[in-house]
Amino acid sequence: MGVIPWASWYALRRYSAYPLGSMAEAVTNSFFGVVRAAILLALWHARPGLGGYDATDAVTFSFLTQSLIGPVQIFGGMELAQRIRSGDVAIDLHRPVDLQAWWLADDVGRAMSTLVLRGLPPMVVGALLFTVRLPDPGEAAAFAVSVGLAVLLSFALRYLVTLAMFWLHDERGVQAVTLVLSLFFSGMIIPLVAFPETLGDVARALPWSGLIQVPADVFLGHRTGGALLSGLAFQAAWAAGLLVAGRLLTRAATRRLEAQGG
Amino acid sequence: MVSGTVDGAGASSRAVRAVSTYCLLAWTWIRAAAQYPVSIALLALGTMVTAGLDIIGILVLFSRAPRIAGFTSSEVLLLYGTSALSFATSDILLGTTERLGEHVREGTLDALLVRPVSPLIQIATEDFSPRRFGRLVPPALVLALALPGLPIAWTPGRVAMVPVMVVSGVVIFGGLWVLCAALQFVLLNSQGATKAITYGGAFLTQYPMTLFARDFVRGVTFVVPLAFVNWAPALYVLGRPDPLGLPGWTRFASPVVGAALCAVAAVAWRTGLRHYRSTGS
């Protein structure tokens, strides 16, 4: 198996090293969950059954989005960016491990840590303050697979953005633009089911819907049978395509790299 | 009498010096940021659009229902515009104070303390970047478009109230930034949680309080005075009854609430700084 599982394991331990900090983040996530739930409740009060969701689905969705912020790192960013900026990436490239695989392993560890530390509290708060819909064991298993694919997809997207560092020497601009896309088209701001028809169809075809909307639909039991498979296939296809793009771009980027200093 | 005048002059010259130091340091950071022009342009655009996302969110909501919690879209856009304009301004001026805990952890606060400039100014101007001005654009545009569309009779009092609420909002959010930063002297990891007050407060105040449960509204009125950012004065502008049934003068209390909050924040900051002990190793 080699070193990759260890990279994940150590990332998991590193990101779990400050549980208080993560729990503090979870407080904010839960607070936003409460505010968003109140907003969506008012909308579903005015439009019962909008987009096939009922009020309970809408409330659950609000807390789910907050739970998934950490694992799919919806706000973007990756530690690799600082290493490219400082030139430390030259050391990473000298390692006998593939750059992309190494950082994917790191990201999987990070995602698992935040799923527990930042993912659970908002759902607990939601369940205490509102009526939320909890999945049956089958839906829960499907949800676990969907979240796993969402983490892969999120990594694939952020890795591409990070590689822009090699050309622009500052990734924050590209990141700011992709942040908008990921917040809006993932369903983070407003669930995609509440979008007007055409906009909703466009949003559902874009990769970002695989980060939040698809896992949430699976959790809420709105994707079963064929729809479940097509949802998971959608996430997997985007993840695979973007990971391959990342590989090709890595090759181009390493040819460009000039590490300075001595 | 004489010493009073001298003190007064001393205080005002200190204030002038603080402002000019702030501007000088901010300008230094702007010049540093200008080294990456492509990034600056994209960042300003990105910040602007990210800030605009909240508007899109509101518009998508109202494309599905004409009224939400009894409020129309132009009324909610008034709340959004005033809240976002206040918050963005306070964020430009003081937002980076949330990094205090980072400075304490890394020991870099010590370096700030030996310089002959207030550490608050140094942290507040850190990474000052022109991109942040992008955030002012969406709320300013929304206010310009939404204000004329409001179905109310504009009296001089209502007209005057709009700038007053924006400025009071800046002061209240500014007090909250410093208060949350001061808390990090005691609770190093609290930044993650106090974001609920700053960013959460900014988000919350974009919507009418009629959305929320009564006890929640009491909390954001009496404990963390977010309701005074724009809700209380907006009730006056829109001529609406207060769902909590508070007396009429509370609609004009925002400037006083802001001043009181800043006094509390100043005391908290000084206390925190006085009790700061460097990270030993």
Side-chain angles (χ1 to χ4, degrees), chain A residues 72-91:
Chain A
V72 305
Q73 197 146 354
I74 203 78
F75 295 107
M78 196 181 288
E79 241 181 277
L80 174 61
Q82 281 89 52
R83 294 185 67 83
I84 300 176
R85 185 200 295 266
S86 65
D88 288 345
V89 70
I91 301 169

Side-chain angles (χ1 to χ4, degrees), chain A residues 7 15 24 40 88 115 129 148 150 153 162 181 187 196 207-208 229 248:
Chain A
Y15 281 96
L40 289 189
D88 288 345
L115 186 63
L129 296 179
L153 179 53
T162 306
L181 297 171
W208 296 282
L229 289 180
L248 297 177

Side-chain angles (χ1 to χ4, degrees), chain B residues 99-120 122-123 126 185 188 269 272-281:
Chain B
R99 297 187 192 163
L100 181 86
E102 229 171 278
H103 282 293
V104 172
R105 257 196 309 276
E106 292 172 5
T108 41
L109 186 65
D110 297 10
L112 302 186
L113 288 174
V114 296
R115 292 182 197 144
V117 176
S118 149
L120 185 60
Q122 291 183 61
I123 297 180
E126 195 175 72
F185 279 117
L188 265 185
W269 175 265
L273 201 58
R274 207 169 304 130
H275 289 83
Y276 167 70
R277 284 151 190 255
S278 185
T279 47
S281 62

Side-chain angles (χ1 to χ4, degrees), chain A residues 178-200:
Chain A
T178 49
L179 170 66
V180 173
L181 297 171
S182 80
L183 283 181
F184 190 64
F185 289 115
S186 62
M188 189 71 216
I189 304 274
I190 301 277
L192 301 186
V193 294
F195 276 27
E197 274 76 23
T198 326
L199 186 62

Side-chain angles (χ1 to χ4, degrees), chain A residues 11-54:
Chain A
L12 173 67
R13 291 195 28 190
R14 191 156 52 92
Y15 281 96
S16 313
Y18 299 99
L20 270 181
S22 302
M23 299 297 248
E25 295 277 342
V27 171
T28 297
N29 293 151
S30 306
F31 182 85
F32 268 88
V34 171
V35 176
R36 283 194 189 279
I39 295 168
L40 289 189
L41 262 182
L43 175 61
W44 260 267
H45 183 71
R47 288 285 308 272
L50 177 64
Y53 276 24
D54 60 19

Side-chain angles (χ1 to χ4, degrees), chain A residues 20-21 24-25 27-28 31-32 35-36 38-39 42-43 46-47 50 169-170 172-173 176 180 183-184 189-190 194-196, chain B residues 36 39 42-43 46 49-50 53 56-57 60-61 64-65 67-68 189 192-193 195-196 199-200 203-204 207 211-212 216:
Chain A
L20 270 181
E25 295 277 342
V27 171
T28 297
F31 182 85
F32 268 88
V35 176
R36 283 194 189 279
I39 295 168
L43 175 61
R47 288 285 308 272
L50 177 64
H169 304 288
D170 187 29
R172 289 177 304 173
V180 173
L183 283 181
F184 190 64
I189 304 274
I190 301 277
F195 276 27
Chain B
Y36 300 98
S39 262
L42 283 175
L43 275 173
V49 182
T50 315
L53 270 186
I56 312 268
V60 170
L61 280 182
R64 295 318 195 124
R67 276 170 180 270
I68 284 171
N189 281 317
K195 279 198 282 192
Y199 297 98
F203 181 59
L204 168 83
Y207 287 90
L211 280 173
F212 309 108
F216 186 86

